[in-house]
Amino acid sequence: MSCLILQNIKLKQACFYLSKTNLSVQEIIEKVGYSGSSHFYHIFKKNFTLTPNEYRKQVQK
């Protein structure tokens, strides 16, 4: 499986958890399979132009 496809799957799962659960961002990072939080934050912000917490606030409005 391509790295980009796998990354997109992980980000889609993270978005689900951010919008539908109260899990902490760190718990979500672990659940979706990222080994480091700084890498996850970088990839997330690059794809959504928001941090995970900003994304959560946007979707929960």
Side-chain angles (χ1 to χ4, degrees):
M1 188 178 288
S2 159
C3 289
L4 278 179
I5 293 171
L6 187 55
Q7 178 180 298
N8 287 340
I9 290 169
K10 289 179 177 184
L11 288 173
K12 187 174 181 178
Q13 287 178 321
C15 288
F16 171 80
Y17 287 127
L18 287 165
S19 63
K20 303 291 184 190
T21 73
N22 289 323
L23 293 171
S24 72
V25 175
Q26 188 58 44
E27 290 173 306
I28 293 169
I29 290 168
E30 293 169 10
K31 271 193 168 301
V32 300
Y34 277 92
S35 57
S37 59
S38 62
H39 180 65
F40 173 77
Y41 275 91
H42 174 76
I43 296 297
F44 196 93
K45 183 142 186 166
K46 182 179 175 186
N47 281 270
F48 298 104
T49 66
L50 298 167
T51 67
N53 287 318
E54 291 168 340
Y55 177 88
R56 176 175 266 166
K57 288 177 188 172
Q58 284 285 327
V59 298
Q60 289 182 344
K61 285 185 177 178

